[in-house]
Amino acid sequence: MQSSVSSSNINRVPIYFYLVLLPLCFFIKLWHFTLRLKISGEDAEFLLSKDKFFVMFWHNRIFVLPYLKRVFRRRKKMSGLVSASKDGALLAALFNFFDIDSIRGSSRKRKVASLFEIAEAVGQGSSVCITPDGPIGSLKVAEFTDLDILFLRVNYRSYFTLPTWDKFQIPFPFSSVDLKVVSCRPYSDIAQSAQKEGVSPVEYAEHLMGR
């Protein structure tokens, strides 16, 4: 996605670093091919047929996002909200190899610019991936559009955990991946349900997501 909004203050990986990422991405693709996806026929049909949406799942399950993009959204546009930090630069570069556009921003850097870019991406027909524990703050980015928020629960039957801030999970080769569409509702419905439960919209969303 070519944004008309300024891209200053964004950390990017050097061009030569893509030579290192190329074999890594090939290896990740092979890894994905070994995984066994478990999903109901109804949920699979929904993901295949839905036009566009915000899709929300935990940051530490991002490893399978390219896999899900290939299986369910191969011919549909997808963008991911990625931090403008150095760590985000690596993730954005990886997304690029898997046909996922990156919208760079966080609550501390490029917050307003990234909101404009999200609106631009949605206007171009793209779904947008967000996380409850990611940049800017989960539902805030969905509050300014009329798109439904799809809550996606992803769990690995067997996996190992990296020593990162989010305890990043990577499924073992040939592991099963349980996938469930928990809910698909606009932000206004989420806010109303949260109010009834006496919690914030973010807390309600996290409850829907489970762990």
Side-chain angles (χ1 to χ4, degrees):
M1 179 186 66
Q2 297 297 321
S3 172
S4 59
V5 184
S6 172
S7 60
S8 60
N9 299 321
I10 298 179
N11 286 285
R12 304 181 188 279
V13 297
I15 295 297
Y16 67 81
F17 198 73
Y18 281 89
L19 297 176
V20 178
L21 290 180
L22 185 60
L24 175 61
C25 290
F26 180 73
F27 180 72
I28 291 174
K29 281 187 176 182
L30 290 179
W31 197 306
H32 286 161
F33 275 115
T34 72
L35 300 177
R36 294 172 292 178
L37 188 63
K38 305 292 184 181
I39 183 174
S40 71
E42 181 181 1
D43 284 354
E45 179 60 29
F46 184 87
L47 291 175
L48 287 166
S49 60
K50 183 76 171 173
D51 181 26
K52 57 185 176 181
F53 44 73
F54 282 102
V55 55
M56 176 175 284
F57 60 98
W58 290 111
H59 191 277
N60 64 357
R61 313 297 208 279
I62 282 178
F63 182 82
V64 295
L65 179 59
Y67 175 44
L68 302 181
K69 166 72 166 70
R70 177 177 59 82
V71 173
F72 297 109
R73 315 291 292 180
R74 182 187 293 269
R75 293 179 176 83
K76 294 181 173 68
K77 293 181 180 180
M78 180 176 285
S79 303
L81 182 59
V82 179
S83 168
S85 67
K86 291 181 180 179
D87 289 342
L90 176 59
L91 180 58
L94 286 169
F95 275 1
N96 186 54
F97 276 104
F98 294 109
D99 195 29
I100 300 173
D101 292 323
S102 295
I103 299 170
R104 308 292 303 280
S106 68
S107 58
R108 292 180 296 179
K109 185 182 292 186
R110 299 193 78 251
K111 180 176 182 178
V112 174
S114 61
L115 291 175
F116 276 106
E117 290 177 10
I118 288 169
E120 184 178 9
V122 170
Q124 294 175 356
S126 179
S127 294
V128 179
C129 299
I130 55 180
T131 64
D133 49 351
I136 293 184
S138 62
L139 296 179
K140 282 297 182 183
V141 298
E143 186 177 357
F144 303 100
T145 75
D146 58 356
L147 274 190
D148 285 344
I149 306 167
L150 187 147
F151 294 89
L152 200 59
R153 190 175 294 165
V154 180
N155 289 303
Y156 310 135
R157 299 285 180 88
S158 58
Y159 62 91
F160 59 94
T161 304
L162 299 181
T164 57
W165 66 267
D166 60 348
K167 297 181 180 178
F168 195 86
Q169 297 178 5
I170 298 180
F172 285 114
F174 305 101
S175 172
S176 293
V177 178
D178 295 320
L179 189 65
K180 180 176 179 56
V181 175
V182 181
S183 178
C184 190
R185 304 151 62 185
Y187 177 85
S188 57
D189 283 3
I190 299 298
Q192 289 177 6
S193 296
Q195 188 175 27
K196 290 179 181 178
E197 296 290 334
V199 297
S200 71
V202 172
E203 289 172 327
Y204 185 79
E206 292 178 349
H207 171 71
L208 285 177
M209 296 293 296
R211 279 291 185 178

